[in-house]
Each structure stands twice: as structure tokens, then as C-alpha cells.
Amino acid sequence: MSEYRIQGNTGAWEVVIGLEVHAQITSESKLFSGSSTGFGAEPNSHVSLVDTAMPGMLPVPNRECLRQAVRTGMAINAQINRWSRFDRKNYFYADLPQGYQISQLYHPIVGEGEIEVTLNEKDPDSPTKKIGIERIHVEQDAGKLMHDQHPTMSFVDLNRSGVALMEIVSRPDISSPQEAGAYLKKLRSILRYVGSCDGNMEQGSMRADVNVSVRKPGGELGTRTETKNVNSIRFMMQAIEYEAQRQVDLIESGGAVVQETRLFDPNKMETRSMRSKEDAHDYRYFPDPDLLPVELDDAFLEECRASLPELPDAKRARYEAMGLTAYNAAVLTAEAETAFWFEDLLAQGVDAKQGSNWLMSELFGALNKMGKTLDESPVNPKQAAELLGLVADGTISGSIAKQVFEIMLETGQAASAIVEEKGLKQTNDTGAIEAEIAKIMAANEDKVAEYRSGKDKLFGFFVGQTMKAMQGKANPQIINDLLKKALG
Amino acid sequence: MSVDKDTVNKIARLSRIAISDAEADKMVGELNGILAWVEQLGEVDVTGVEPMTAVIANKLRLRDDVVTDGDVRDKVLANAPAKEGSFFGVPKVIE
């Protein structure tokens, strides 16, 4: 795709980026216990004796969490491992009651796959690139620590402890902040389509660890750093830009990049070292003796595959085949939210072209003005379908539909009720229209003469005048036909 | 495979177990004895034998995705050495 280079004193540098994305699996209960995963609950209320690692408590895996990881793997055309296993990653921290995280190091549930990204998903002509996925494994989340509530203590809330995460590890195939942003957007879109993660970065449902190194174009790979827990696409792009520049400056001034964990500070827009102890990353992984291997049978895998929805790329191709423009198809499928809304609209019997044009101009325009997202739209697909149906069957004209839509947004009334109440029905009364046309022609004899002497463009003027005289309620097709006849 | 005193001290530190110098010396001997004993297994030719994951043939049991537990805040906090309101309290940990 785009060639991204950092210009240093010694020439141009290439950036090599790999992402480890932690995505919270959508489930009712935790990975190994029956506690709720609900967000925003009273501290330590969604916690069981398993989650606090009380002696004798044993983990029992949640089938749904494994199912969602497998479905996600299938959505990126990844190898699904019928045999996988859980390992213990050992470390001490106050947010981890077990003293180890149950994860999958040696035998992850999902192996290699790939995601095709495009720099601008709304531009059908934007170049594409395939980013390799190394693996997806399933693991437990840790609890939450608060450091600013007490002078000498940190507070621990274990509500998140044990919630299921997918760690989605990319190959170092990403070579610019823009590509990293496009990859994360595409991944989030796929997760939302599949329904395996809500992709909500503000609530921490999705966060990225960003591996960055620099090298002379085509040269040996440099030493990488890992910037942890970046929780927005914009921050991730800023972190990469900062980190790549820092590494170039460091190397060019005679220093060397140290392999280390760093944090991004969004206020200062910089990364800084976490200065952890040298042996903090000696995790002493070993297979978890409390858990047998995960063995997936044919029936399980078939159900996973059968339950996959149509994915963004396939949907886009189908919309184009239905006659939508490439641009419309790209915009409607980029986000799952938009695609599902549009699908609901089609399910109500709305014509695809009419529906897509209306959604993208009228509805998006209105939501934009109100500062609302599609999920917050005051008009739902069923109500919209009624409005569009009234246009399609000639009950109201397109311009009247705009007025009706505005009233719907304000009052929440149904389209047909508004049309009825305000008397907005389109008239097919040819006599009334002919009478207006006669008046207009009489008042504009000069223009009639000009038109007849070949100034075709004036036709629009007559249409406008007639529509105005009919207060917008005349059927435009009938106006056209009658005008053509009258003007000769 | 064998361990030296540095390794023993490192494992103790990673496991947050305080051991004295004398204990470390003793552990080196004990651990090496255990490792040597286990190492005898290396004499068995296991070519073509599937790794055994459980002594009794058994399948992993999975749960349905329903909330059946939790909502026992006072119970989980009951044994905490320190607590504040609904939280566990721990010595300040900040990097």
C-alpha cells in the first residue's frame, strides 16, 4: 500500500509493526466460572470463589467462549485447531488472584489466517493489502487496580477477573500507522459482524499491544519495543509515529533500541519505558493440570461455520451485484452497525437502490446534524420503510418525503399519519395540473416562445413552476407528461 | 538437567518465597535429587507414543454460557487482609 518512511539524518527508515489485539469475547458468563461479565457493576459483585482462586476451586471452560473464538478464526480463514490446550502463565500481580493467567501458549485454538485491509474502506478504489494473522488464543482477563483512592493502598476490583479474551496476534506485516489503523478497523468490523466482541474500545472491550521496530528499507529487522494497552485507534497511530521516530533518533545518535515494554501517554503523545524488573517476563509457562485438552468435534465445527453471518467483503460484492454503486456498497458494509440497519430496511421490502440512497443521504445527513450514531437513530428501519414505501407507490413525492422525514425525526410519528394529517398526498388529478400549466404558460409567454425555438433547458423551469403551484403535491411524472404535451 | 544456587534463588524470588542462604543450599541438593529421579523417564523410548494428558481417559467438560455464580461480594472479601468499601486493599502497587 502506501510507502511510509521516516526521514532520518542517515536516510530513510522503514517501520515494521505487529499488533496483539485483546478482544473481550461476548458472553454472559466468564471463561472458567459462572460469574456475570456485565459491565459497570458494583465492585467485586461479579466475582465467585473460582475467580478469587480460593483453594480447591476448579475451572470449567465456557463452551460459548470457545465457540466465538472458533467462529472468529473461521471469519479470517484461519486454521482451526481441533486439539488445543490451556497453559499457565505465571506472574505475581495484585490484579491476578491465581498467581497465573490461564492462557494458550503452545497450542492455540486458532492458527494462521489473514485479513485484507484497505487504507480507506469507504473508497472502493483504495489499494488493499493482506495482513497475516499468526494465531488467536483464548485467555482470562485480569482484575482492575485503582491507585488514586488511598494514600498507601491500591484498590482491587475483580469483576473483570476471569472474563474471556481472545488475543489476536498479527504478523509483522504492517508498515505504517495508517495501515495499523486500517487493520484495527477491519478487525473490529469483522468481530462485530461475527458477534464475538462488541469492539467497544472506550469500555476496554478491545485494546492493542503494539510492537514497533525500524530498519533501513529491506534491511535486517531491528530490535522491537512493545507499547501496551493502547485503547483507541487514534492513540495507536500516534504511539507508532512517536515510537518509530524515537527509535530512529536513538539509533542515529549512536544508541541502541532496548527490547522493552512501554506505555503510551495520550496527554503528552509519547511512549515511555515501564522500567520493569529484568526477570518480570519469566512466565514459566506449563500446561494447566486442572484442564484437559480442548478437543473440537465435527458437529461443533459445523455449527460454528453454519452460524457465521455474511462477512463485509462478501456483502459488499453482493450489494454491487444488486446494482448499488461501489461507493455505496463500501460505505454500507464498512461497519456492521450500518450493514445490519440496511439489511433490516431491505427485509421490509424496500428497493435496494432507493434504500441505499436514502440511508446515505437523508438518514446519515440527519444523524450527522443531530450528532447521533445510527444506533441512536430516532427512526428505525421499519418506520423508514413505511416512508420509502409511500414514495415508491407514488403516494408522496420525493421532496414531500424529505418534509415528512423531518417531522418523523422531531415527533416520532408514523409517515402515513403525517401525510394524512398534513394533507401531503400527491395528486394525480390531471385536470388540476393542466389548469396550473395553462396559467403558467399564459404568464410566461416569452419563455414558452424561447422553449419552442429550441431552448430545451427551460423545461426544468416549467416543471418547477408547476410543482410550486401544486405546493409540491403533484406527481412529477404526470407534470412531465402534461408539460411535454402542452409545450409541444 | 540440574539447578544451581542462583537458579534456586531466582525461582524463589519469582514465586515470592523468602528463603535463607542455608535453605537455598539445601534446596539445590533436594531439587537436583528430584530432577535426577524424574530424568530416569528419559530412558524409556516413547517414539510414536501419543503424549498422555490424563491418567484416566477423560474428555474436557464444558459449561453452558449462563450466569450461575457470583454476587457474593461479602464472602469473597471476608478473608481479605485489608478491604475498603467494596474493594480489596493491597499495598500500593504502581510502576
Side-chain angles (χ1 to χ4, degrees), chain A residues 182-194:
Chain A
Y183 167 80
L184 204 51
K185 267 190 217 161
K186 184 64 176 276
L187 177 61
R188 186 176 60 181
S189 168
I190 291 171
L191 296 175
R192 284 178 171 166
Y193 267 81
V194 169

Side-chain angles (χ1 to χ4, degrees), chain A residues 57 71 104 190 249 267 288 323 345 370 394 397 431 459 471:
Chain A
M57 296 295 113
R71 292 174 76 246
Q104 299 189 299
I190 291 171
D249 293 347
N267 297 318
D288 192 318
L345 196 61
M370 293 187 288
S397 66
F459 192 73
Q471 295 166 308

Side-chain angles (χ1 to χ4, degrees), chain A residues 179-422:
Chain A
E179 278 182 27
Y183 167 80
L184 204 51
K185 267 190 217 161
K186 184 64 176 276
L187 177 61
R188 186 176 60 181
S189 168
I190 291 171
L191 296 175
R192 284 178 171 166
Y193 267 81
V194 169
S196 57
C197 169
D198 66 22
N200 190 331
M201 297 190 83
E202 298 77 51
Q203 289 183 2
S205 305
M206 213 177 142
R207 45 205 203 262
D209 296 345
V210 189
N211 291 295
V212 176
S213 65
V214 297
R215 64 176 174 187
K216 285 292 170 71
E220 294 268 306
L221 278 176
T223 304
R224 67 186 162 86
T225 62
E226 181 181 18
T227 303
K228 284 269 190 198
N229 274 330
V230 185
N231 63 0
S232 91
I233 292 175
R234 190 164 54 92
F235 289 165
M236 179 191 67
M237 292 168 68
Q238 288 168 348
I240 293 169
E241 259 173 59
Y242 175 87
E243 185 55 21
Q245 186 68 54
R246 184 189 72 88
Q247 292 184 10
V248 167
D249 293 347
L250 189 63
I251 297 167
E252 290 195 331
S253 62
V257 176
V258 184
Q259 184 164 347
E260 62 177 354
T261 306
R262 299 178 70 85
L263 273 181
F264 179 66
D265 181 339
N267 297 318
K268 293 184 186 157
M269 298 242 291
E270 63 178 32
T271 65
R272 61 169 183 270
S273 175
M274 285 176 73
R275 288 191 310 272
S276 39
K277 287 184 202 123
E278 57 180 294
D279 57 14
H281 296 301
D282 190 344
Y283 293 128
R284 295 149 295 140
Y285 279 96
F286 65 90
D288 192 318
D290 287 343
L291 288 157
L292 287 158
V294 180
E295 291 174 88
L296 307 175
D297 60 25
D298 288 339
F300 184 90
L301 295 177
E302 270 161 36
E303 190 287 325
C304 287
R305 196 171 291 286
S307 69
L308 277 186
E310 184 179 39
L311 293 162
D313 294 344
K315 207 182 265 297
R316 195 176 65 214
R318 184 168 61 88
Y319 286 173
E320 284 187 39
M322 280 162 68
L324 265 56
T325 63
Y327 175 76
N328 280 14
V331 173
L332 290 173
T333 53
E335 296 288 341
E337 187 192 28
T338 319
F340 294 158
W341 214 98
F342 183 59
E343 290 286 327
D344 286 346
L345 196 61
L346 294 181
Q348 300 284 331
V350 170
D351 171 71
K353 274 194 202 171
Q354 185 201 12
S356 67
N357 288 332
W358 178 83
L359 198 156
M360 290 183 51
S361 55
E362 302 299 319
L363 182 61
F364 279 176
L367 291 173
N368 209 10
K369 248 188 248 166
M370 293 187 288
K372 288 191 171 175
T373 67
L374 194 52
D375 275 343
E376 302 159 343
S377 166
V379 171
N380 66 36
K382 201 175 164 199
Q383 294 165 319
E386 193 198 0
L387 172 69
L388 293 171
L390 292 174
V391 179
D393 70 11
T395 307
I396 56 173
S397 66
S399 56
I400 290 289
K402 288 182 199 218
Q403 295 177 30
V404 174
F405 178 51
E406 273 179 28
I407 299 169
M408 288 169 73
L409 289 171
E410 276 169 32
T411 66
Q413 270 179 292
S416 57
I418 297 167
V419 169
E420 200 62 45
E421 189 187 308
K422 311 246 177 215

Side-chain angles (χ1 to χ4, degrees), chain A residues 44-45 60-61 63 147 279, chain B residues 13 63-64 71 86 92-93:
Chain A
N44 290 308
S45 60
V60 184
R63 182 181 293 104
H147 304 294
D279 57 14
Chain B
R13 191 170 64 251
R63 268 170 39 240
D64 287 335
D71 217 2
S86 304
K92 204 173 257 289
V93 275

Side-chain angles (χ1 to χ4, degrees), chain A residues 59-94:
Chain A
V60 184
N62 181 338
R63 182 181 293 104
E64 176 65 10
C65 297
L66 302 178
R67 179 177 167 270
Q68 291 293 21
V70 168
R71 292 174 76 246
T72 305
M74 287 174 169
I76 58 162
N77 291 317
Q79 183 200 324
I80 306 299
N81 294 324
R82 287 166 165 267
W83 194 96
S84 66
R85 200 176 61 187
F86 286 105
D87 302 301
R88 290 186 179 180
K89 177 181 183 177
N90 298 281
Y91 65 95
F92 275 97
Y93 210 61

Side-chain angles (χ1 to χ4, degrees), chain B residues 1 5-6 8 10-11 13 16-17 21 31 38 45 51 68 70 74-75 79 85 89 92-93:
Chain B
M1 188 183 174
K5 195 168 161 186
D6 283 348
V8 168
K10 185 183 168 189
I11 296 167
R13 191 170 64 251
R16 303 296 190 274
I17 297 171
D21 208 44
L31 284 172
V38 172
D45 181 6
T68 55
D74 294 341
K75 256 186 168 169
N79 293 318
K92 204 173 257 289
V93 275

